[in-house]
């Protein structure tokens, strides 16, 4: 399930790299398109890595910090771990701001 509480599926085919997508007519229009192949491959690798040992939520909405990480790793004792995969350059200021927001929500 995604953060919008709509089911997601893994799509894969001849032309595009496998990726997560909402089921057809799931009523979700808030996600952007145009993710690169490198980004999607990284996201899938992270999903597979963490899915071996943990329950995951794909693109959950964390309303307390107005963020939507790529994955939320549901760890024991409520110590969830937000995973944000970044392929494009991000400034130091933006990175520090995102880290600070996540720490405040603990």
């Amino acid at each position: 399930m995604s953060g919008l509480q709509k089911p997601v599926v893994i799509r894969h085919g001849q032309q595009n790299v496998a990726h997560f997508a909402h089921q057809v007519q799931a009523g979700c229009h808030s996600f952007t398109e145009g993710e690169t192949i490198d980004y999607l491959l990284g996201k899938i690798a992270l999903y597979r890595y963490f899915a071996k040992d943990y329950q995951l939520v794909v693109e959950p909405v964390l309303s307390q910090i107005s963020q939507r990480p790529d994955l939320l790793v549901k760890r024991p004792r409520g110590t969830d771990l937000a995973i944000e995969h970044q392929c494009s350059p991000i400034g130091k200021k933006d990175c520090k701001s995102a880290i600070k927001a996540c720490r405040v929500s603990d």
Side-chain angles (χ1 to χ4, degrees):
M1 289 269 197
S2 73
L4 296 178
Q5 302 304 310
K6 301 291 181 184
V8 293
V9 295
I10 294 181
R11 291 194 177 156
H12 52 86
Q14 297 286 331
Q15 296 179 0
N16 294 325
V17 68
H19 61 281
F20 296 106
H22 286 98
Q23 290 180 351
V24 176
Q25 299 180 0
C28 177
H29 303 288
S30 67
F31 293 97
T32 59
E33 297 296 327
E35 295 171 331
T36 68
I37 290 174
D38 287 341
Y39 174 81
L40 292 171
L41 288 172
K43 191 171 174 179
I44 290 168
L46 287 167
Y47 180 91
R48 288 179 177 161
Y49 176 81
F50 285 104
K52 290 183 280 185
D53 298 314
Y54 300 99
Q55 180 183 18
L56 302 175
V57 181
V58 177
E59 297 186 346
V61 175
L62 304 180
S63 58
Q64 64 271 36
I65 59 171
S66 301
Q67 296 287 333
R68 184 176 43 99
D70 293 308
L71 299 171
L72 187 66
V73 180
K74 305 296 282 181
R75 299 190 302 177
R77 294 180 233 113
T79 57
D80 296 345
L81 176 65
I83 303 292
E84 181 62 35
H85 176 54
Q86 186 74 32
C87 282
S88 58
I90 183 171
K92 193 181 275 189
K93 182 179 178 183
D94 290 335
C95 186
K96 286 182 178 182
S97 176
I99 291 168
K100 183 178 179 182
C102 288
R103 286 187 179 149
V104 168
S105 70
D106 272 348

